[in-house]
């Protein structure tokens, strides 16, 4: 998709860390504006990964049309570029019907790919990825992360050691080009404007967000999160990308260990979610976000 015309209306993009209230705001705004939601969540795209991803409920999806939810089986990975292409199509379709697209989600690489495109890094090399997989099998995920830290410490600081897909990709970029992925992004990425956009988020203090995360995690456990993960693992999705996402990997580890103490499991998910939210907030500090209080968000009309 070429850069957008300046005459195109600004795309409304709801951002913010996990549990900040993006989904609720998207529903209110869709009601007010005649809108439809385009999900920018790298787990909600996968069928079956419902509770732990905070996927909109059937009632919410009946109330407001949602796009790019349940569009892939977990054995069919979807990357940022492919998602952005799907989002382009959804946004164009929504506008063609006289409706307002509202992008909502916390996968900010995907948001950046949609708004600005991606850096022209080399395509994946199956041989390099196979070598990384062998290293992980022999020495564990931490060994692959340590290799990345040696050549691209900024990327290593940004990526969790358990996120082997993105760690491998960052290391692969360096191995194929001799240039750290961080430098590629700094020099080449996110300069074009594909969609003029207005970024909006709900502001919370760190303590408030922690309490919201804790309430969200307990709600997920009450709703059957453990049973969802157990069923997904039994169905053959144990080694898929979404099973390595925050929450899912903690539940799977507890199931594997036979340690299903509810309080300990909840706290491990809260801790992992807080770390993830901290990374999200770091990225957001560099973005032109209109931050609203909860009262302002209740009155906000786009």
């Amino acid at each position: 998709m070429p850069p957008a015309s300046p005459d195109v209306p600004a795309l409304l993009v709801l951002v913010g860390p996990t549990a900040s209230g993006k989904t609720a705001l998207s529903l209110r705004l869709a009601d007010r504006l005649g809108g439809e939601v385009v999900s920018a969540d790298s787990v909600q795209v996968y069928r079956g990964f419902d509770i732990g991803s905070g996927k909109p409920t059937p009632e919410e999806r009946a109330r407001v049309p949602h796009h790019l939810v349940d569009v892939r089986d977990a054995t069919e990975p979807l990357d940022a570029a492919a998602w952005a292409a799907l989002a382009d199509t959804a946004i164009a379709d929504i506008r063609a019907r006289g409706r307002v697209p509202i992008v909502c989600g916390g996968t900010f690489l995907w948001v950046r790919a949609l708004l600005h495109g991606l850096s022209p890094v080399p395509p994946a090399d199956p041989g390099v990825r196979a070598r990384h997989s062998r290293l992980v099998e022999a020495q564990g995920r931490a060994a692959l992360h340590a290799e990345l830290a040696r050549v691209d410490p900024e990327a290593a600081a940004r990526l969790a050691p358990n996120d082997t897909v993105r760690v491998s990709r960052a290391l692969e970029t360096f191995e194929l080009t001799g240039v750290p992925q961080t430098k590629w992004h700094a020099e080449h990425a996110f300069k074009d404007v594909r969609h003029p956009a207005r970024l909006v988020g709900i502001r919370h203090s760190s303590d408030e967000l922690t309490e919201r995360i804790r309430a969200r995690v307990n709600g997920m456990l009450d709703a059957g999160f453990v049973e969802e993960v157990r069923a997904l693992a039994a169905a053959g999705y144990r080694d898929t990308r979404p099973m390595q996402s925050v929450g899912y990997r903690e539940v799977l580890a507890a199931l594997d260990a036979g340690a299903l103490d509810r309080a300990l499991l909840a706290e491990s998910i809260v801790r992992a979610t807080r770390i993830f939210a901290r990374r999200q907030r770091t990225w957001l500090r560099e973005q032109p976000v209109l931050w609203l209080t909860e009262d302002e968000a209740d009155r906000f009309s786009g």
Side-chain angles (χ1 to χ4, degrees):
M1 177 178 175
S5 162
D7 297 329
V8 174
L11 182 65
L12 184 57
V13 182
L14 304 185
V15 295
T18 296
S20 60
K22 296 185 295 294
T23 296
L25 179 57
S26 74
L27 294 169
R28 293 198 301 271
L29 286 174
D31 286 338
R32 293 173 192 168
L33 303 175
E36 301 183 13
V37 175
V38 179
S39 172
D41 187 292
S42 61
V43 183
Q44 291 182 6
V45 294
Y46 296 112
R47 292 184 287 273
F49 288 77
D50 302 334
I51 297 171
S53 70
K55 193 175 288 182
T57 66
E59 293 76 17
E60 290 168 337
R61 293 167 72 177
R63 171 182 164 188
V64 172
H66 282 69
H67 302 261
L68 306 191
V69 174
D70 290 340
V71 296
R72 284 288 190 279
D73 186 84
T75 59
E76 305 170 315
L78 186 68
D79 63 18
W83 174 85
L86 293 175
D88 285 337
T89 300
I91 290 165
D93 173 66
I94 293 166
R95 285 176 166 158
R97 289 183 284 103
R99 305 278 288 174
V100 176
I102 302 170
V103 177
C104 177
T107 305
F108 298 138
L109 175 61
W110 287 17
V111 172
R112 289 195 294 185
L114 175 65
L115 301 184
H116 301 290
L118 294 168
S119 60
V121 293
D125 185 308
V128 171
R129 295 196 169 186
R131 176 162 47 78
H132 291 174
S133 295
R134 291 194 296 271
L135 176 62
V136 170
E137 290 174 7
Q139 300 181 38
R141 295 170 181 162
L144 188 69
H145 191 262
E147 279 297 301
L148 177 61
R150 185 176 61 81
V151 299
D152 190 350
E154 289 186 49
R158 176 172 50 84
L159 298 172
N162 284 336
D163 192 351
T164 54
V165 172
R166 291 183 177 86
V167 169
S168 176
R169 179 54 176 160
L171 184 58
E172 176 186 48
T173 298
F174 176 81
E175 291 177 349
L176 293 176
T177 68
V179 178
Q181 185 189 66
T182 302
K183 188 172 182 180
W184 272 99
H185 287 175
E187 293 184 355
H188 303 284
F190 317 126
K191 294 179 181 177
D192 293 332
V193 176
R194 301 177 74 252
H195 292 274
R198 187 180 189 192
L199 276 61
V200 177
I202 302 176
R203 180 173 56 245
H204 299 283
S205 71
S206 180
D207 288 344
E208 288 170 343
L209 188 62
T210 295
E211 289 311 307
R212 291 178 65 90
I213 290 171
R214 184 166 283 110
R216 173 187 170 105
V217 168
N218 281 311
M220 288 175 171
L221 292 172
D222 289 343
F225 189 15
V226 171
E227 290 72 21
E228 175 176 283
V229 175
R230 182 184 286 117
L232 287 166
Y237 296 111
R238 166 182 293 274
D239 297 321
T240 58
R241 179 181 294 183
M243 195 64 88
Q244 298 304 316
S245 62
V246 172
Y248 283 95
R249 65 172 176 255
E250 285 74 28
V251 175
L252 184 62
L255 286 170
D256 287 345
L260 280 174
D261 181 289
R262 160 70 183 250
L264 291 177
L265 175 57
E267 201 52 40
S268 74
I269 300 172
V270 168
R271 184 166 55 251
T273 306
R274 288 184 65 200
I275 293 170
F276 178 58
R278 191 155 53 241
R279 294 203 301 270
Q280 291 176 307
R281 294 175 93 169
T282 297
W283 181 79
L284 288 165
R285 281 199 294 268
E286 302 172 358
Q287 310 307 314
V289 180
L290 171 63
W291 290 107
L292 306 173
T293 66
E294 290 193 81
D295 287 343
E296 289 169 340
D298 286 340
R299 301 190 299 270
F300 184 68
S301 59

